[in-house]
Amino acid sequence: MSNQALFSYSSELEFFLPAGMTAETRVSKESCFADDVWDFCDSANARLNAYTPSSLTIKWSRLASETGYAPLPWSTVILLKLFAYLYLHAPASVVPRCKRGSKNHPVTVCRLLKTLLPFMGHLQEKLQLDGAGISDAWTLADVTGRHVRESLKDWDCGSGPDLRRALICLTSSISHQAGEGYAPRWTAADVQTLAIEATTKSY
């Protein structure tokens, strides 16, 4: 990945990312946007010292041997990274009615992604088993509400409210403006109708 802009820029995205977004954009003291692991640990930050390293990391690896779930297409990983970055540094860009200028705690973001990423891998795996011919060119735009509903039928891991929140956030206008056609086509209204179990079972 080069130091070129990673996303198509709209006025909304420019508002939240005035300096642009590249592979080298810092997401934390330890990590850049392109890194396979986002590490939010910081011994100099007293607010973070009470948390374990595992609760302050997001693993983006596309190797099933490292994640335990089906590898995600690169276009999906990039879009989810953009969402995670905005959810951390500018949640108002993806969360309805969120106050502009606010930020989320890294643990909040890590917890949300540790529910969302395995579910996306689970969904990907089901599509592959169904013989959908998924390739590296496959994007979230190819996932329908029906695919999500079918995947939820045998999914009982992670926080149900967190998964619902994440799926709704992915429908934000900024995801569609930046995603250039590979953002989800499901809507917030679609997600509200889904039967998502309120479980906290770990993946």
Side-chain angles (χ1 to χ4, degrees):
M1 298 178 74
S2 68
N3 198 31
Q4 298 177 343
L6 293 171
F7 299 99
S8 174
Y9 268 75
S10 64
S11 58
E12 184 178 11
L13 195 59
E14 288 174 349
F15 177 87
F16 290 105
L17 295 171
M21 171 73 78
T22 71
E24 287 74 33
T25 296
R26 303 300 305 184
V27 297
S28 71
K29 183 178 180 180
E30 300 293 332
S31 306
C32 294
F33 189 88
D35 291 343
D36 285 337
V37 175
W38 285 6
D39 181 358
F40 295 98
C41 295
D42 182 358
S43 58
N45 187 335
R47 294 179 61 221
L48 301 179
N49 289 339
Y51 300 96
T52 63
S54 63
S55 65
L56 288 167
T57 58
I58 300 174
K59 295 182 179 181
W60 299 103
S61 174
R62 300 170 68 233
L63 299 176
S65 60
E66 295 181 10
T67 61
Y69 50 83
L72 300 175
W74 186 241
S75 61
T76 298
V77 172
I78 289 292
L79 191 65
L80 294 181
K81 279 188 170 186
L82 174 64
F83 160 64
Y85 182 92
L86 291 173
Y87 191 66
L88 174 66
H89 294 290
S93 63
V94 292
V95 181
R97 298 181 297 278
C98 188
K99 182 179 179 181
R100 285 199 173 188
S102 64
K103 292 188 177 183
N104 272 323
H105 193 287
V107 169
T108 300
V109 180
C110 292
R111 184 182 65 236
L112 195 74
L113 269 295
K114 285 177 182 178
T115 293
L116 179 61
L117 283 170
F119 176 74
M120 287 298 181
H122 172 69
L123 187 153
Q124 173 83 355
E125 188 173 57
K126 287 183 70 70
L127 288 172
Q128 291 173 336
L129 292 174
D130 288 342
I134 303 303
S135 70
D136 216 30
W138 178 76
T139 72
L140 285 180
D142 298 307
V143 178
T144 66
R146 181 183 66 81
H147 291 141
V148 177
R149 285 192 299 274
E150 289 298 315
S151 297
L152 284 169
K153 288 181 178 179
D154 56 356
W155 178 256
D156 62 353
C157 299
S159 165
D162 277 348
L163 180 57
R164 187 183 302 277
R165 182 181 303 109
L167 293 176
I168 290 175
C169 288
L170 288 174
T171 69
S172 67
S173 62
I174 205 166
S175 294
H176 288 273
Q177 292 166 4
E180 295 185 300
Y182 56 84
R185 294 183 182 177
W186 66 75
T187 67
D190 292 332
V191 178
Q192 293 290 6
T193 66
L194 295 173
I196 302 179
E197 296 295 328
T199 176
T200 55
K201 178 181 175 182
S202 299
Y203 182 78

